[in-house]
Amino acid sequence: MLPSVPPCGYVLVVDDDPTIAQFLSRLLAADGHQVSVAHTGADALARVTARPPDLVLLDLGLPGLGGLEVCRRLKANPATRLIPVLVLTGEDPAAARVSAWEAGADEYLTKPARAADVAARARSLLRLKAAQDELDSAQATLAAFARAVEAKCPSTLGHTERVTDL
């Protein structure tokens, strides 16, 4: 059963329009999330490096480094590839939607988007991210437990890794 309270997370809003960035920031903050804003693609990547967010809301029409390239870089980097990216753009939906998904975007909404749609999609992506993080934590715990058990007997040391490799 899904939790009734949405998971609060750290969200990075990337939009070159200060009015839209402020609107999204207020919307997400009202939903209980911590929000940071970047107005360029380069600033967004720097912020992600400094503090990886739980979700990125990304406009495609950014000055300099565009939104598609920001998305590609996030999804190509093993350290950031699992951060969900919600593209929110005013570009032509027919062409931009496919390009966004090919760049690795997890969700796509066109501007002007209804506040309820943005909030709902953000909550959904944050729930998925929380579940993924929980799975990663459980897997790490099980792996540590297996190594501890194996270390008690020299003949089984490394058995789990050997089985995994096979």
Side-chain angles (χ1 to χ4, degrees):
M1 182 174 182
L2 292 175
S4 58
V5 177
C8 295
Y10 169 53
V11 181
L12 176 62
V13 173
V14 187
D15 200 303
D16 61 328
D17 184 328
T19 305
I20 292 172
Q22 183 180 32
F23 165 75
L24 293 171
S25 183
R26 286 182 179 170
L27 172 70
L28 294 165
D31 219 17
H33 308 296
Q34 288 183 328
V35 183
S36 181
V37 175
H39 295 290
T40 67
D43 185 26
L45 292 176
R47 287 175 186 263
V48 168
T49 300
R51 180 180 177 204
D54 298 308
L55 172 64
V56 174
L57 263 69
L58 180 64
D59 183 22
L60 296 184
L62 299 172
L65 188 64
L68 286 176
E69 184 58 27
V70 170
C71 188
R72 278 189 203 97
R73 290 184 187 188
L74 289 173
K75 295 302 184 172
N77 183 342
T80 59
R81 68 183 172 83
L82 295 178
I83 297 172
V85 175
L86 168 58
V87 167
L88 183 61
T89 189
E91 292 189 13
D92 174 35
R97 182 178 291 120
V98 172
S99 297
W101 285 331
E102 287 176 347
D106 298 282
E107 186 59 76
Y108 182 95
L109 292 173
T110 55
K111 292 178 187 173
R114 291 183 30 218
D117 291 341
V118 174
R121 293 311 304 147
R123 283 192 299 268
S124 176
L125 289 168
L126 285 165
R127 272 195 305 271
L128 289 172
K129 175 78 166 68
Q132 177 67 43
D133 290 349
E134 200 172 302
L135 237 111
D136 289 347
S137 176
Q139 183 178 10
T141 301
L142 287 174
F145 180 70
R147 283 191 301 274
V149 169
E150 289 177 351
K152 289 186 167 234
C153 177
S155 64
T156 61
L157 188 63
H159 174 73
T160 302
E161 284 82 10
R162 290 191 299 276
V163 170
T164 301
D165 290 341
L166 290 175

